[in-house]
Amino acid sequence: MRLPSFQYLEPTQVDEAVSILADFGDRVKICAGGTEVINHLRRRLIRPAAVMNIRKLPDLEGLSETTQEIVIGANTTLKEISRSKLINREAQAVAEAAGQTASPTIIAMATIGGNILQNTRCLNYNQSGIVLQGLPVCHKRGGADCLAVPGSRRCFSVYQGDLAPALMALRAQCVLVKKGAARTVPLTGLFTGDGTKPLALEEDELLTRIVIPKTEGRQASAYRKFRVRGSVDFPLASAAAFLSVTADFLLADSCVVIGASGPAPRVVESAEALLKGKTPGAADAAIVAKKAFDLSEGVDNLTLPGDYRRKMVRVLTQRAVQAALENLKGGR
Ligand SMILES: Cc1cc2nc3c(=O)[nH]c(=O)nc-3n(C[C@H](O)[C@H](O)[C@H](O)COP(=O)(O)OP(=O)(O)OC[C@H]3O[C@@H](n4cnc5c(N)ncnc54)[C@H](O)[C@@H]3O)c2cc1C
């Protein structure tokens, strides 16, 4: 399908980019790697008057570290992230998530900013225009009914991004800039939980960088993903686990996050209290996995049945916690 016509904009400075966002409002679409945006344009899921390519903004590139934190520019590609020694050492879950996203060609093109800020998905929404013309208009397209859960008053579309659960487990923050203002928010605060408008980003805001705080002492993390085709597929269930231990190997801190199980990645809140102060073991991973299962939504709106995907959230959570434990034994 051919692209619709639009005005093409290519700022070279952040100030110029945020001025464009302020002037155009919802009539401009930001394009980074374009692996989602171009698909959405072709399918006429979005119809912006202008598309702004942000890949010429030097301030959004690259990876760096201080003693306190790791800073990832929003335009850093998933390939750079998956291969980075720094990320593989300090944030294994993020490196694993980047390396398992989509396919090698998409990993080479796609940016971390675009990955985090991707839209939620549903079999009743991510279709070509011809298929959508034959379907009733669902909640996500502005209609009254959810086609996946008839009679429901909300949209059950699923957030299938790989990077956000891993970054949330590491308690990452993101820096959002608009004309004359900037704010730093925890990644958890970026998700509304509403499938019709899943991101709490203002239309004139630009994501410029992601900041991962460093942890004192020994820490490790892991990400596990379930997909049908290992060569190219969105997660149908996923889980990320972060663990840190004291010098005598008692759990000091932990965070477990599940993905692809609702309109936003979800922190398994009870995991932290369950694990704190313990010498972690396999039985603990199983208990946390049951909590993740209870938290996940299983709706028949992706390529595999919802009930099965929920069971896989449980399996993957257990595996992610166990993998983080293994990484801890071998980690710094
Ligand atoms: C075949 C296929 C398989 C895929 N599989 C996966 C998968 O397994 N896992 C997964 O997570 N994703 C998957 N995707 C979705 C997508 O390709 C990735 O999420 C990718 O990382 C998006 O990054 P991008 O830079 O190409 O984003 P873009 O397409 O450029 O942008 C995505 C969204 O983010 C916004 N945006 C981008 N950068 C910024 C910024 N700095 N500030 C504000 N807004 C911004 C854009 O406006 C747009 O709304 C797949 C896509 C395809 C086509």
Side-chain angles (χ1 to χ4, degrees):
M1 194 184 263
R2 294 176 68 170
L3 286 171
S5 59
F6 50 79
Q7 186 181 351
Y8 179 73
L9 304 163
E10 199 175 76
T12 52
Q13 299 298 329
V14 168
D15 282 355
E16 195 189 339
V18 293
S19 289
I20 291 171
L21 290 173
D23 292 346
F24 277 78
D26 64 1
R27 291 178 302 117
V28 64
K29 187 72 182 163
I30 293 173
C31 182
T35 59
E36 181 190 70
V37 169
I38 300 297
N39 266 325
H40 283 198
L41 284 166
R42 282 189 203 282
R43 292 181 167 192
R44 308 302 192 260
L45 288 171
I46 50 173
R47 293 169 180 270
V51 171
M52 177 169 77
N53 176 13
I54 57 166
R55 293 305 291 276
K56 297 277 165 76
L57 300 176
D59 293 354
L60 271 59
E61 295 293 337
L63 285 152
S64 61
E65 70 173 320
T66 66
T67 48
Q68 307 283 315
E69 58 195 25
I70 299 159
V71 181
I72 310 177
N75 278 350
T76 310
T77 64
L78 303 188
K79 184 172 173 180
E80 287 171 84
I81 291 166
S82 68
R83 293 187 176 185
S84 155
K85 284 187 183 150
L86 169 65
I87 302 297
N88 277 282
R89 187 185 72 229
E90 300 283 344
Q92 294 112 314
V94 177
E96 288 173 1
Q100 292 175 57
T101 300
S103 64
T105 43
I106 290 176
I107 288 172
M109 283 293 290
T111 65
I112 186 169
N115 190 280
I116 295 168
L117 298 175
Q118 64 182 274
N119 207 339
T120 52
R121 299 170 54 81
C122 175
L123 284 176
N124 298 297
Y125 179 77
N126 296 92
Q127 298 291 348
S128 68
I130 293 172
V131 174
L132 291 178
Q133 275 170 30
L135 289 173
V137 178
C138 72
H139 274 324
K140 194 161 172 70
R141 290 200 292 143
D145 298 317
C146 171
L147 306 184
V149 183
S152 87
R153 291 175 177 273
R154 53 161 278 216
C155 169
F156 284 86
S157 58
V158 181
Y159 181 81
Q160 289 183 277
D162 275 305
L163 274 280
L167 288 162
M168 275 167 60
L170 283 123
R171 302 207 173 82
Q173 301 203 309
C174 49
V175 180
L176 303 168
V177 177
K178 67 178 181 180
K179 197 173 179 181
R183 61 181 177 128
T184 302
V185 290
L187 211 64
T188 40
L190 209 55
F191 295 94
T192 63
D194 173 358
T196 56
K197 193 184 179 305
L199 298 163
L201 190 77
E202 291 168 28
E203 63 194 22
D204 56 349
E205 281 184 319
L206 179 72
L207 170 63
T208 55
R209 54 186 193 272
I210 296 96
V211 180
I212 304 175
K214 283 189 178 171
T215 313
E216 298 251 321
R218 209 176 172 103
Q219 61 84 20
S221 61
Y223 178 73
R224 291 294 178 268
K225 162 178 180 173
F226 168 59
R227 52 180 166 174
V228 176
R229 297 167 297 179
S231 55
V232 48
D233 253 331
F234 285 91
L236 292 164
S238 68
F242 164 81
L243 306 172
S244 77
V245 282
T246 58
D248 42 2
F249 219 79
L250 296 177
L251 267 179
D253 190 19
S254 66
C255 187
V256 176
V257 182
I258 55 171
S261 52
R266 286 187 176 172
V267 178
V268 185
E269 301 280 0
S270 49
E272 196 179 338
L274 276 167
L275 296 173
K276 200 174 174 77
K278 288 190 171 174
T279 300
D284 300 306
I287 295 169
V288 172
K290 171 66 171 64
K291 298 287 179 194
F293 173 82
D294 293 341
L295 197 64
S296 62
E297 277 176 6
V299 174
D300 292 337
N301 56 358
L302 298 178
T303 48
L304 286 177
D307 282 351
Y308 182 61
R309 287 176 18 235
R310 270 190 92 194
K311 287 179 187 163
M312 287 309 293
V313 168
R314 185 174 185 165
V315 171
L316 293 173
T317 303
Q318 187 160 352
R319 287 182 189 164
V321 175
Q322 281 171 338
L325 284 170
E326 287 304 311
N327 289 345
L328 258 183
K329 288 172 196 159
R332 71 173 174 85

